[in-house]
Amino acid sequence: MRSGEELDGFEGEASSTSMISGASSPYQPTTEPILALIAFICIETIMECSPCEGLYFFEFVSCSAFVVTGVLLILFSLNLHVRIPQINWNLTDLVNTGLSTFFFFIASIVLAALNHKTGAEIAAVIFGFLATAVYAVNTFLAVQKWRVSVHQQSTSDYIRARTESRDVDGRPEIQRLDT
């Protein structure tokens, strides 16, 4: 059994919820890009459309979500995110999942309203809503992870500030005033 600290994930450990957290979940971090890819493949099999705007929008959303989430997955899986500490990776994951949820939801509704009831369009709509649900769960988990990291950051900043304010030996200007 793992302790509470171990449940937060090891440095660079592959996640099973939000790509950078270590909590358990019924889906793996590869679920999102796979669903986005399947939705993209379904939409690409459609040969003709009359009002094509909904189809093109869904195609753009599914391809973009697949590429961006896939790149983030590779960064996290290979621990490359550790080499770029200037980026807030919790916030990056939150923004990616939040925007993907929103745009997949809109694109799925638009495609559901404008499709011609072909098998590929129905499958694309179904996978679009599945991807929306998975991204929504991950957005919720990413919000929780982001809140914890913000709280930990503010606590460590407070502790560091308090420690520095008590450190008189390292500040010669304070010593001169005391003499």
Side-chain angles (χ1 to χ4, degrees), residues 57-70:
F57 180 61
F58 188 89
E59 179 181 22
F60 172 76
V61 169
S62 60
C63 184
S64 298
F66 170 70
V67 169
V68 172
T69 306

Side-chain angles (χ1 to χ4, degrees), residues 86-179:
Q86 298 85 0
I87 297 176
N88 183 340
W89 291 106
N90 290 322
L91 185 59
T92 302
D93 188 32
L94 173 61
V95 168
N96 175 53
T97 57
L99 289 176
S100 295
T101 301
F102 176 74
F103 284 116
F104 249 120
F105 183 67
I106 299 299
S108 297
I109 289 174
V110 169
L111 187 62
L114 298 178
N115 74 40
H116 297 93
K117 311 288 187 268
T118 65
E121 288 173 322
I122 293 170
V125 169
I126 290 170
F127 281 107
F129 281 117
L130 284 173
T132 299
V134 172
Y135 273 111
V137 168
N138 199 1
T139 299
F140 173 75
L141 297 170
V143 166
Q144 289 181 331
K145 182 72 173 174
W146 178 72
R147 283 183 179 165
V148 167
S149 72
V150 166
H151 178 69
Q152 288 174 346
Q153 178 66 31
S154 65
T155 302
S156 67
D157 287 346
Y158 174 76
I159 291 171
R160 186 172 12 92
R162 294 281 296 174
T163 304
E164 288 175 357
S165 69
R166 292 180 183 165
D167 183 22
V168 176
D169 295 333
R171 299 176 65 190
E173 68 275 3
I174 293 176
Q175 290 176 350
R176 277 186 262 134
L177 293 175
D178 292 339
T179 57

